[in-house]
Amino acid sequence: MDTLGTGTTRPRSEYLTALGLAAGPVVALGFTRFAYALLLPSMRTELGWSYAAAGGLNTANALGYIIGAASGAWWAKRYGGGKAFVWGMVISALALLGSGVTSDFAALAVLRFIGGLATAVTFVVGSALASRVHTGGRQQRSAALVAVYMTGVGIGVVLSGIAVPAALSEWGASGWQAGWLLMGILALIAVGPAARAAKAVPAAPTAAAGQGRTGLGRMTWSFVWYVLFGAGYVSYMTFVIALLHDQGLSTWSTAAFFIVLGAASALATLLVWGRIIGRLRGGTAPALVSLVVLLGVLPVLLGDGLAAAIVSAVVFGSAFMAGPTSVTVLARRMLPQHAWTSGIAWLTVAFSVGQAVGPLVSGILSDSSGGITKGLWLSVILLALSAVAAFIQREHPTAPAVTVAPQDAQPAAQNQKR
């Protein structure tokens, strides 16, 4: 049984709760997932890896992510959403710390796998918690709160974009180990606000008679979209820093790229995408996200230098985390509330499959003639295909509505009229 608190919070408290939950994706994606791109050039040089090996390490992380996503709903049901969310962050922090004390490829692969599993549980359960912060019928507010939660990714990217280059500048070739350790320490600090926010989320309802079905079949094209989108965007995120290094950019120039990307993600997800996604129906929002992310990949493939990198960071960064936001909001609309956690979990499994395959194939292509640029063109192709899949998705009638609290009843009715 979920031990989280019950009741409906006021709008200001809802946003503060969502912001506290955002500490989860700071660790899960900002540190554990994406910061590897900053560390990869140094690790590859010092440890003598090929691009395929470097991509393989991210694939280990993605395989763990698949298992974590698939089991996320079970962990939430078994131990409660709050505990699953918080302990996932703790284990992720320990995996980050462990990555800073070994240079053995097998050990690093195991740690990346464990980190992927734990962060998937954190992200999946956290997404469901963010979906439940507002239990009324106001879809736009719910979308805005999910967007607040997703801004944690951009914040994590900014923090890692500061911490990792500082470590590399201070300790040189071996600075990648200090980078992992710094992020591990920051991850442990992030557990506090996340735990407090989790306690403030209304408890998940149990399935009533006749509500046993999840309705996931209605989201088939969203699953297809998420596989392709995950493979496309993560191939870019894994190898773009290595590409910029090959183009001659310095450590701090690539750090500037990463910081701009993270800031663009946090600001756009919070200020722009939450509103857009709340208004669009069916797969229109995911398709739009894919197209903008695709445009963000092109500048570093068609040009070089810091200017092209910054343009890419702004465009790509402004949209890549709108993908999880859009599919989370769509799941909230199309699935009964008791199925939100499991629905988001299985969607994240699809996302993880793409993230597992993308870097490995992109790495193999990058080792062939044409180098990293050839590997990153795979991102463009996959993102284009994902946009097509998303456009096919239709928003079917919503499953039985959740109970609307008295203070939200009138706004919900007004929204339904609109």
Side-chain angles (χ1 to χ4, degrees), residues 14 58 66 77 164 185 211-212 229 241 272 295 375:
E14 289 180 341
N58 232 18
I66 291 172
K77 183 177 179 181
V164 171
I185 293 169
Q211 286 188 319
F229 180 78
I241 298 297
V272 179
L295 291 175

Side-chain angles (χ1 to χ4, degrees), residues 27-43:
V27 175
L29 296 182
F31 293 168
T32 305
R33 188 65 178 161
F34 297 139
Y36 176 61
L38 282 171
L39 295 161
L40 187 150
S42 177
M43 295 177 74

Side-chain angles (χ1 to χ4, degrees), residues 24 28 30 72 97 131 151 156 165 173 224 250 269 298 302 304 310 321 332:
L97 292 170
S131 297
T151 60
V224 175
S250 67
T269 303
L298 293 178
L302 301 177
D304 56 24
I310 295 300
M321 279 315 297
R332 188 185 191 276

Side-chain angles (χ1 to χ4, degrees), residues 209-268:
Q211 286 188 319
R213 295 186 177 183
T214 61
L216 287 175
R218 294 177 296 180
M219 299 189 70
T220 298
W221 284 107
S222 292
F223 280 91
V224 175
W225 167 76
Y226 223 12
V227 171
L228 295 169
F229 180 78
Y233 101 94
V234 85
S235 296
Y236 171 93
M237 286 295 292
T238 301
F239 293 110
V240 66
I241 298 297
L243 174 66
L244 297 180
H245 272 284
D246 283 0
Q247 291 179 351
L249 270 67
S250 67
T251 297
W252 281 108
S253 293
T254 55
F257 162 86
F258 215 66
I259 292 169
V260 169
L261 186 150
S265 173
L267 292 173

Side-chain angles (χ1 to χ4, degrees), residues 139 218 332-336 395-401:
Q139 296 287 359
R218 294 177 296 180
R332 188 185 191 276
R333 289 172 175 165
M334 293 181 62
L335 304 178
E395 187 166 327
H396 300 287
T398 307

Side-chain angles (χ1 to χ4, degrees), residues 10 141 191 203 266 334 337 387 407:
R10 295 179 179 179
R141 184 189 295 178
V191 171
M334 293 181 62
Q337 188 175 351
Q407 60 266 45

